Amino acid sequence: MRIVVLTGAGISAESGVPTFRDAGGLWEGHRVEDVATPEAFERDPDTVHRFYDARRQASVLAEPNAAHGALARLEQELGDDLLVVTQNVDDLHERAGSRRVVHMHGDLLTALCNACGARTPITVDLIERPPCPECGERMLRPDVVWFGEMPYELDAIDEALVACDVFAAIGTSGAVYPAAGYVMTAAAAGASTIELNLAASEITPLFDEVRHGPATVVVPAWVDEVLAERG
Ligand code: OAD
C-alpha cells in the first residue's frame, strides 16, 4: 500500500509553532507581501530576515509531537511506500525520525546564495549578512519558497500522487496551491483520500473521509488503523 501524506502548519501547532491562518497565526501579524515575496526581499531585506530568523529560532526550540512521531512510525513499517510532502519549513518531521520528507516550500535551516546558487546550512542569523561558505558573497536568503515562486520537487510529488493508494492531508487549510489540489490529483488516479484536521478546511468536501481533532490525537489513531489493516 503506497501512501502520500501532505502536512501543513497544523501538524506542528501543538509543538508550539504558530500556523498561518488561525487566530493569532503568522499572517495576522504580518502581511504576506511584506515578508514572503521576492519583491519584499528586494525592497526591505532586513524585515524579511527578521521574520525568518525569528521563525528559525522558535522552531529550533520546538519539539516534534505525537503526530510527527506517528508518521515516523508509519515510515518504519512502510519504508519507501510512504512519502511525506510537507509545506512546513520546520524540521520536526526529520527530528521525529522521518527520512522520506519533501519540503515543497523549502526549509528554515538552509540558506540559498543569490550570488552562486549554493545551498548551505544556516549557522548565523541572516540579518547579520554572513558570507556564503561557497563563494564568499554576502547575498544569502532563506531557502524558503515565497509567493510568486515555484515550490520544490513538483514532478517527484506528482509522480508519488498518481501512484499512491491512499492520500492523507494533515493540518492544512487548503488555501495554497498547488498543495491544495493534491487531493484531486490523487483521487483522479484512484487513491482513497482522508483529511485529518482540527476543523473543516477550505477543501474538506473533496475528501472521501474526514476526521476532525487535534493532530496529536487523530494522526496516531489513523496510523494505528493503517498498520492494523495492513496486518
Ligand atoms: P494554515 O495556517 O493555512 O492552516 C493550518 C490548518 O491547520 C488549519 O486548517 C487549522 O484548522 C489546522 N490546525 C490548527 N491546529 C491544529 C492541530 N492542533 N491539529 C490539526 N490541525 C490543526 O497552514 P498551511 O495550510 O500549512 O506558505 O498553509 C499553507 C501555506 O500557506 C504555508 O506553507 C505557507 C502559508 O502561506 C508559504 O509561506 C509559501
Side-chain angles (χ1 to χ4, degrees), residues 44-195:
D44 184 359
D46 278 7
T47 295
V48 176
H49 280 317
R50 259 193 297 275
F51 178 70
Y52 287 99
D53 284 342
R55 291 183 60 201
R56 185 179 326 103
Q57 288 159 7
S59 80
V60 165
L61 297 177
E63 294 292 336
N65 63 48
H68 300 102
L71 294 180
R73 188 155 55 84
L74 190 59
E75 185 185 291
Q76 272 169 17
E77 297 301 321
L78 294 184
D80 288 350
D81 285 343
L82 175 69
L83 179 67
V84 174
V85 176
T86 188
Q87 299 165 88
N88 298 344
V89 290
D90 63 52
D91 66 342
L92 296 178
H93 284 303
E94 286 85 351
R95 281 200 270 139
S98 288
R99 291 292 165 263
R100 284 177 49 78
V101 183
V102 171
H103 281 269
M104 65 180 294
H105 290 167
D107 92 81
L108 278 174
L109 301 175
T110 305
L112 173 60
C113 178
N114 266 339
C116 75
R119 290 190 159 83
T120 49
I122 294 180
T123 51
V124 179
D125 282 348
L126 294 185
I127 196 151
E128 308 284 346
R129 302 296 196 285
C132 169
E134 295 291 326
C135 74
E137 294 290 334
R138 295 178 186 273
M139 291 184 63
L140 299 179
R141 60 165 276 183
D143 189 15
V144 297
V145 174
W146 286 323
F147 286 89
E149 296 183 321
M150 187 72 93
Y152 295 150
E153 307 215 41
L154 293 182
D155 290 345
I157 297 169
D158 276 338
E159 236 170 73
L161 286 172
V162 297
C164 76
D165 305 295
V166 177
F167 171 78
I170 302 174
T172 178
S173 61
V176 175
Y177 286 81
Y182 287 167
V183 56
M184 286 185 279
T185 310
S192 62
T193 58
I194 180 166
E195 176 179 71

Side-chain angles (χ1 to χ4, degrees), residues 7-14 18-22 25-27 32 36 51-52 55 65 86-89 104-105 144-147 170-176 179 195-202 213-219:
T7 65
I11 197 168
S12 296
E14 291 164 86
T19 64
F20 295 94
R21 294 176 181 79
D22 293 306
L26 287 166
W27 294 157
V32 168
F51 178 70
Y52 287 99
R55 291 183 60 201
N65 63 48
T86 188
Q87 299 165 88
N88 298 344
V89 290
M104 65 180 294
H105 290 167
V144 297
V145 174
W146 286 323
F147 286 89
I170 302 174
T172 178
S173 61
V176 175
E195 176 179 71
L196 307 165
N197 209 49
L198 189 60
S201 75
E202 296 189 20
T216 56
V217 175
V218 293
V219 177

